[in-house]
DNA sequence: TCGACTTTCACGATGCGTCAGTGTAC
DNA sequence: CGTACACTGACGCATCGTGAAAGTCG
């Protein structure tokens, strides 16, 4: 936080710095560090890396810095603040106008990186919130629930997956689903809750895999399953059929789902199969 | 990305894995790695850390994993995905019910950390966007502009600073400013643009510090300065006075501004002084 | 002479990637 | 016998923090 305090100097000593440090044009490493708000260690590190060399070295080997270095350090800290690595900063500052890495491109690139990271973290935050919500409602939560929530929320289907899923739905269904989506997952909180419900149900079904699919317990689980499916299908039998066909096809050797989609459904496949069995037992 | 590909095996070999890996209850490190989607190196690393020990070690020293380890690895990966460090994960998983680190607290804690990080990154993204916007309008941008933008946008005043600034404004002014704020910085983009304008102007004034404050150039800069100040004061003379008094007091030894506020204004102090001189020259 | 300041050297932490050299299984 | 797989050990990355031991400044 504060280089001054960290170096536990006597109060008031302040590296023997005059009232206005700008009166001096040459600073020792300690003065320069407090002036610029970094640690001595950082300056020595930057020196060895060749990122910020002192203006001069005294006879005794002391590093001496001047205003040029202060300016360069500001640039370094600025680039560091927007997330550039020291290596990148060095390249940018090294070639004054050699033009291999230009500032505009660097800015665009960093903004992309930062924005991607934000999206990522937002998904994680949402998943944690969903897990907490689940925890509050049920009083407990399992790792596998959190795992499923994370998978559901952070799942970003590849283009192949999107294409693959498309083939099971008619154009109209696709349209209708796209329009219904906002009400199905009204907002972040709603979507998180649904994800949590799914995760919890899958965990419960997994725990019941060895029971009789015709038993009341299994039937109750199947009921809850269909309620959640109903949120998505909105009672439309056609959509339900498409959905079933799609999930049944994931491991069809003739038309397998893309790897990311298979990975996505892998953990819930046993549960889905069990629910199918439960529903089949109901019919007969 | 893909442990399989990275380990450049012959296609189809897949670590000699059977069609359905769950048919086997014991796996070599390579099979286990592809099964769980991590690298061999990661598994060895977790082993040495004591985070995930193999179920058995073969006579030849081979690590052999089984379903228990697969489950534990899932837990590890889940916690890692929400940002826990390996050390934390180890502590959480170690004490089965020793209850020193509980899941609910961990979730809350991680959500806080993630949300704080998001805020941070959003400020950075906003600052970069402002810099890019500036770049587009002016065709160039200086490091010091970016630096100022970053300072303006990421500035989070301490409580001391908030208290300190309060004393210069009447209760009514404070109220009015708080209400006017939404229109002054309507949205992120607007705020970023204003920040960029300030940053650019400060950079320009800094470049003109050695010119005559009465010169037309300096007067033009002062005009632009007052326009930006006007965005904040909304033409209210009382607010302008309060603002001037406040900035004049930052380095008043009897009532100095808090350190973070001084740090915030340090870079723009010379520019402010110059503008004051320009305005004074105008009056006489 | 004393203490604040400086130097270099070197280990630690994070989460693995990436050799290098060698042994094992099929 | 070949080769895919496994092992251990060690260095590298990024960014310093935190001493230790010793020299310098005023």
């Amino acid at each position: 936080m504060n280089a001054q305090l960290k170096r536990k100097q006597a109060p008031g000593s302040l590296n023997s710095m005059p009232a206005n440090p700008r009166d001096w044009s040459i600073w020792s490493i300690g003065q320069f560090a407090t002036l610029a708000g970094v640690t001595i260690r950082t300056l020595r590190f930057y020196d060895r890396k060749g990122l910020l060399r002192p203006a001069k070295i005294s006879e005794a080997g002391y590093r001496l810095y001047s205003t040029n270095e202060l300016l360069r350090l500001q640039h370094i800290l600025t680039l560091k603040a927007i997330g550039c690595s020291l290596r990148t900063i060095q390249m940018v500052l090294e070639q004054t106008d050699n033009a291999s890495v230009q500032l505009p491109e660097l800015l665009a690139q960093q903004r992309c990186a930062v924005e991607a990271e934000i999206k990522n973290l937002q998904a994680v935050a949402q998943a944690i919130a969903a897990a907490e919500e689940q925890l509050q409602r049920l009083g407990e939560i399992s790792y596998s629930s959190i795992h499923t929530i994370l998978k559901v929320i952070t799942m970003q289907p590849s283009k192949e997956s999107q294409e693959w899923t498309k083939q099971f739905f008619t154009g109209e269904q696709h349209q209708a689903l796209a329009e219904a989506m906002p009400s199905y997952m009204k907002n972040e909180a709603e979507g998180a809750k649904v994800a949590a419900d799914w995760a919890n149900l899958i965990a419960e079904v997994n725990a019941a895999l060895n029971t009789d699919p015709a038993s009341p317990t299994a039937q109750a689980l199947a009921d809850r399953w269909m309620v959640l499916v109903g949120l998505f299908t909105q009672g439309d039998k056609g959509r339900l059929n498409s959905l079933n066909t799609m999930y049944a096809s994931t491991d069809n050797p003739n038309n397998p789902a893309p790897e990311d989609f298979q990975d996505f459904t892998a953990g819930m496949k046993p549960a889905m199969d069990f629910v199918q069995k439960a529903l089949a037992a109901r019919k007969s």
Side-chain angles (χ1 to χ4, degrees), chain A:
Chain A
M1 298 293 150
N2 191 318
Q4 246 168 267
L5 295 177
K6 279 199 174 171
R7 291 175 46 250
K8 34 180 161 155
Q9 310 159 317
S13 123
L14 281 174
N15 279 307
S16 317
M17 190 124 55
N20 184 353
R22 284 164 207 278
D23 291 348
W24 292 14
S25 52
I26 212 83
W27 301 288
S28 72
I29 194 170
Q31 293 170 340
F32 190 69
T34 39
L35 184 61
V38 300
T39 66
I40 293 181
R41 184 65 184 86
T42 301
L43 291 175
R44 285 205 269 252
F45 179 69
Y46 287 176
D47 181 9
R48 186 160 48 172
K49 285 275 164 180
L51 193 54
L52 180 69
R53 303 251 191 236
K56 235 180 95 179
I57 304 280
S58 80
E59 285 188 10
Y62 282 25
R63 294 172 178 83
L64 300 174
Y65 294 86
S66 120
T67 47
N68 283 340
E69 286 69 46
L70 186 55
L71 212 58
R72 186 178 169 99
L73 180 55
Q74 301 286 359
H75 297 172
I76 293 172
L77 295 180
T78 300
L79 292 174
K80 214 165 82 68
I82 67 170
C84 297
S85 72
L86 295 191
R87 178 179 303 277
T88 305
I89 294 173
Q90 187 155 22
M91 291 194 309
V92 176
L93 293 184
E94 222 53 32
Q95 28 97 200
T96 332
D97 49 3
N98 200 358
S100 105
V101 179
Q102 289 291 3
L103 200 47
E105 284 79 15
L106 187 64
L107 287 178
Q109 183 187 319
Q110 280 310 121
R111 194 162 54 85
C112 278
V114 169
E115 280 168 358
E117 181 67 9
I118 289 175
K119 270 198 176 176
N120 208 340
L121 290 181
Q122 277 174 339
V124 170
Q126 206 179 323
I128 300 179
E132 287 186 301
E133 202 266 348
Q134 174 94 264
L135 185 66
Q136 274 216 331
R137 273 191 304 166
L138 303 183
E140 62 172 3
I141 191 166
S142 63
Y143 285 101
S144 55
S145 286
I146 305 180
H147 185 228
T148 307
I149 293 173
L150 270 169
K151 266 184 133 175
V152 170
I153 289 187
T154 62
M155 168 75 173
Q156 308 233 348
S158 66
K159 278 185 188 167
E160 290 87 14
S161 285
Q162 290 178 25
E163 284 306 312
W164 184 85
T165 57
K166 258 190 190 171
Q167 64 183 315
F168 299 98
F169 296 92
T170 67
E172 292 164 31
Q173 283 179 333
H174 236 267
Q175 188 88 23
L177 282 175
E179 280 165 21
M181 197 53 98
S183 70
Y184 160 60
M185 286 198 182
K186 268 193 192 101
N187 47 42
E188 278 191 12
E190 194 65 28
K193 200 187 282 185
V194 173
D197 281 333
W198 270 113
N200 185 53
L201 181 55
I202 290 172
E204 283 186 60
V205 174
N206 276 336
L209 284 185
N210 290 329
T211 66
D212 176 14
S215 72
T217 322
Q219 291 299 315
L221 287 172
D223 280 341
R224 286 173 53 198
W225 188 282
M226 293 319 288
V227 168
L228 285 179
V229 169
L231 271 182
F232 182 72
T233 61
Q234 302 283 334
D236 184 318
K237 291 241 169 172
R239 281 189 211 167
L240 181 57
N241 266 334
S242 302
L243 207 57
N244 283 336
T245 317
M246 183 178 83
Y247 279 112
S249 305
T250 49
D251 47 6
N252 177 346
N254 297 326
N255 179 26
E259 199 179 329
D260 64 323
F261 194 86
Q262 289 213 24
D263 185 49
F264 174 65
T265 56
M268 41 208 248
K269 207 96 181 61
M272 291 196 298
D273 291 345
F274 181 82
V275 170
Q276 291 298 333
K277 271 188 275 180
L279 293 176
R282 179 179 302 185
K283 276 179 193 161
S284 61

